Amino acid sequence: MADLGIRYATALFDISQENGLMDDYLDQAQLVRDNIANDEAQRVLTHPRISSEEKFAFLQKAFENNIHQDLMGFMRLVVTKNRTAFLLSALDKLIGMIKDHKRQTTVRVVSAVPLTDTQAERLTTMLSKKLNKQVDMMVLVDSSVIAGISIQADGYFLDRTVSTMLKDMKENFEL
C-alpha cells in the first residue's frame, strides 16, 4: 500500500506525457496540492463520517473548472476508493516526476534578511549551473538564523547560517 501514491502518480505522469499536457498537469497538480494541504481541507478529506460523495463534491466545487478532467477523475477514484490519505503524496510525486522530466527543481533558501534582486539572480544562476536544472527559488526570511543562508535542493542541504555554526560550536565544547 505504501507505493500506491507512486502508482497513481506514475499513471498520471504517463497520461500527461502521452497527451502532451505536462505543463498543464504540473500547474494544476500544484494548484490542487497547495489548496488541499491546509488543515481544514485535510479534515474534510480524511474525516471518517463524511461520505465519499460529499468529499468529492468538496473537491469538485473547488477545482472542477480549473483542472483537466483526468486529474478530476483521479481525485474521484481516490475518494471513491477511500484512499484520500494518498492524495497529497500522489500529487507531490506527480509534481516531482514532471519536474525531473523537465529538468526543473525548486530550491528552498532560508536567509536572515531578504535577498536583493541581484543576490537572488546570482544564486539562481549558480544553482542552475550546479544542479544542471532550471531553478525556481523559494526564499524564506527567518531572522533566527542571525546571518548567512541555508539551501535545500534535490536532497542536498547546505547550511551556512550563524545559528547553526553557534550550535555546532556549543556541541563541540560540551564533549
Side-chain angles (χ1 to χ4, degrees), residues 53-73:
E53 292 83 17
E54 291 172 303
K55 290 176 184 180
F56 183 67
F58 170 77
L59 292 170
Q60 208 170 12
K61 182 178 178 185
F63 303 111
E64 186 173 41
N65 297 321
N66 298 317
I67 65 171
H68 194 273
Q69 64 185 12
D70 293 336
L71 287 172
M72 203 73 225

Side-chain angles (χ1 to χ4, degrees), residues 48-117:
R49 290 199 175 123
I50 297 177
S51 72
S52 59
E53 292 83 17
E54 291 172 303
K55 290 176 184 180
F56 183 67
F58 170 77
L59 292 170
Q60 208 170 12
K61 182 178 178 185
F63 303 111
E64 186 173 41
N65 297 321
N66 298 317
I67 65 171
H68 194 273
Q69 64 185 12
D70 293 336
L71 287 172
M72 203 73 225
F74 155 70
M75 291 195 298
R76 177 187 296 274
L77 176 69
V78 168
V79 170
T80 303
K81 298 265 187 190
N82 198 25
R83 294 181 173 154
T84 53
F86 295 101
L87 184 56
L88 281 175
S89 170
L91 290 169
D92 281 336
K93 287 177 183 18
L94 173 62
I95 291 164
M97 292 170 83
I98 293 174
K99 282 187 167 191
D100 283 346
H101 182 79
K102 295 174 70 57
R103 310 264 332 128
Q104 297 175 346
T105 191
T106 300
V107 175
R108 182 176 180 264
V109 176
V110 178
S111 173
V113 295
L115 299 179
T116 65
D117 290 342

Side-chain angles (χ1 to χ4, degrees), residues 147-158:
I149 63 171
S150 69
I151 301 170
Q152 185 175 359
D154 290 352
Y156 297 103
F157 185 68
L158 173 69

Side-chain angles (χ1 to χ4, degrees), residues 92-169:
D92 281 336
K93 287 177 183 18
L94 173 62
I95 291 164
M97 292 170 83
I98 293 174
K99 282 187 167 191
D100 283 346
H101 182 79
K102 295 174 70 57
R103 310 264 332 128
Q104 297 175 346
T105 191
T106 300
V107 175
R108 182 176 180 264
V109 176
V110 178
S111 173
V113 295
L115 299 179
T116 65
D117 290 342
T118 303
Q119 290 170 325
E121 185 178 313
R122 287 178 58 203
L123 187 57
T124 300
T125 302
M126 186 265 307
L127 289 170
S128 291
K129 287 179 184 174
K130 291 280 186 197
L131 297 170
N132 194 25
K133 292 182 178 180
Q134 178 185 339
V135 169
D136 178 31
M137 206 162 53
M138 177 177 60
V139 180
L140 303 170
V141 177
D142 180 357
S143 61
S144 72
V145 301
I146 303 171
I149 63 171
S150 69
I151 301 170
Q152 185 175 359
D154 290 352
Y156 297 103
F157 185 68
L158 173 69
D159 190 339
R160 295 292 183 251
T161 60
V162 171
S163 62
T164 298
M165 291 178 197
L166 290 172
K167 181 179 152 240
D168 292 346
M169 286 175 59

